[in-house]
Amino acid sequence: MFGFIRPVKPELRVKEADRFQQVYCGLCHAIRARYGAFYTFFLSYDMTFFALIAGCGAQGAAAPCRRRCMAHPVIERPCAAPDEALALAADVSVLLTYHKLEDSLADERGGKRLLAAVLCRLGRRGYERARARLPAVDAEMVQALDELHGLEQAQCASMDRTADASARMTAAAVPRTGDARERVLRQMFYHIGRWIYLLDAAQDVGEDLASGGYNPVALRYGLRTPDLSAVRQPLERTLERSLADICMAFDLLDARQDAELIRNIIFLGMPLVTKQVLDGTYQTNGGRGKHGSL
């Protein structure tokens, strides 16, 4: 995933900022324990958010543990204790990462395509393991991704059609349980996927115009330059529709754990990133060089 989903730290209480960092580190350890070190290099804030949502129905978080890792080999750091939510987030993270690598292999050229091919080969064994754990989830992702590839190859100028295919891939990350909670979560992650896809396309307009790559925002509005000022208002409206549905789904979720932290991310962090991308001020990880540190 892309790292767009993150909290606004100045609006967090200290214990909430610490909790986000602990879940981030806990997810990293969960991925390493289940799949080895390779997939930990693709850990994102987006999947940390997924882990928070997956565990928000619990009555209370277990006490954090302290562990060392490759990034912090000397001093032990507090991290979230292993649980089902972190295990699920680790599995989903591997599936989404591998399919993103496959997407890059299909879309990129030259050195970037070669790099994607190498990474796909290195990640294949972990992906097969994750697919065996979540076969139905992976099948849905593959179906949605195949449809997205077809639309991209046809140079589809409809943002809604391509965003829908990408959103269904993200919604597939929610395992089927047949209850009301599943329906709410699928609605939430459908619109999260839609928001991420369109926001990523808006951010990549300049790069895609220069390389000749597919970009639904550029095609929809006939853009010839990276300047989004002329189309900012309609873009903002369509992104805000998905944000409104995400907020509504969260209100229906009845979160018992990490509710204020999740609320900060959804109601403050995601609108802020939307504004930053559209006005050209967005920086990965808030401009910090070290990923994973709020």
Side-chain angles (χ1 to χ4, degrees), residues 192-227:
I192 286 172
R194 183 180 186 276
W195 176 80
I196 287 175
Y197 181 81
L198 293 177
L199 202 62
D200 183 59
Q203 187 186 25
D204 289 347
V205 164
E207 181 181 337
D208 290 335
L209 286 175
S211 66
Y214 173 79
N215 190 291
V217 172
L219 286 172
R220 166 64 179 81
Y221 295 111
L223 298 178
R224 296 291 180 267
T225 71
D227 184 12

Side-chain angles (χ1 to χ4, degrees), residues 60 92 97 103 153 171 184 213 236 254 260 269 286 292:
V92 170
T97 298
D103 188 52
Q153 289 170 5
V184 171
E236 201 163 28
D254 189 26
E260 291 308 310

Side-chain angles (χ1 to χ4, degrees), residues 81 223 242 247 259:
L223 298 178
S242 280
C247 293

Side-chain angles (χ1 to χ4, degrees), residues 157-179:
S158 169
M159 294 193 311
D160 285 335
R161 289 183 66 192
T162 49
D164 171 72
S166 183
R168 285 189 283 108
M169 182 177 174
T170 310
V174 180
R176 292 196 176 276
T177 56
D179 56 11

Side-chain angles (χ1 to χ4, degrees), residues 227-249:
D227 184 12
L228 296 176
S229 56
V231 300
R232 173 169 178 161
Q233 191 171 26
L235 259 180
E236 201 163 28
R237 279 200 301 268
T238 193
L239 289 166
E240 285 176 349
R241 284 201 299 271
S242 280
L243 288 176
D245 284 332
I246 295 165
C247 293
M248 188 181 303

Side-chain angles (χ1 to χ4, degrees), residues 116-294:
V118 171
L119 293 175
C120 280
R121 186 175 181 84
L122 291 173
R124 183 71 189 186
R125 181 177 297 179
Y127 163 67
E128 295 287 359
R129 199 177 305 156
R131 182 172 66 174
R133 285 172 169 151
L134 298 174
V137 169
D138 183 67
E140 280 193 71
M141 288 182 178
V142 169
Q143 183 179 17
L145 188 60
D146 286 345
E147 183 177 331
L148 180 60
H149 283 159
L151 291 169
E152 291 176 346
Q153 289 170 5
Q155 293 290 296
C156 177
S158 169
M159 294 193 311
D160 285 335
R161 289 183 66 192
T162 49
D164 171 72
S166 183
R168 285 189 283 108
M169 182 177 174
T170 310
V174 180
R176 292 196 176 276
T177 56
D179 56 11
R181 181 177 175 81
E182 181 214 328
R183 293 193 293 273
V184 171
L185 286 174
R186 281 186 172 257
Q187 176 77 355
M188 174 183 282
F189 280 98
Y190 175 90
H191 283 285
I192 286 172
R194 183 180 186 276
W195 176 80
I196 287 175
Y197 181 81
L198 293 177
L199 202 62
D200 183 59
Q203 187 186 25
D204 289 347
V205 164
E207 181 181 337
D208 290 335
L209 286 175
S211 66
Y214 173 79
N215 190 291
V217 172
L219 286 172
R220 166 64 179 81
Y221 295 111
L223 298 178
R224 296 291 180 267
T225 71
D227 184 12
L228 296 176
S229 56
V231 300
R232 173 169 178 161
Q233 191 171 26
L235 259 180
E236 201 163 28
R237 279 200 301 268
T238 193
L239 289 166
E240 285 176 349
R241 284 201 299 271
S242 280
L243 288 176
D245 284 332
I246 295 165
C247 293
M248 188 181 303
F250 174 72
D251 285 337
L252 293 172
L253 199 55
D254 189 26
R256 302 173 186 172
Q257 177 177 291
D258 299 316
E260 291 308 310
L261 173 53
I262 296 169
R263 185 175 292 277
N264 175 289
I265 294 169
I266 292 174
F267 288 82
L268 299 179
M270 294 173 73
L272 177 61
V273 169
T274 301
K275 175 181 180 298
Q276 290 173 339
V277 169
L278 295 184
D279 66 19
T281 61
Y282 174 78
Q283 292 180 296
T284 302
N285 193 30
R288 300 170 179 82
K290 184 179 178 183
H291 187 59
S293 179
L294 281 177

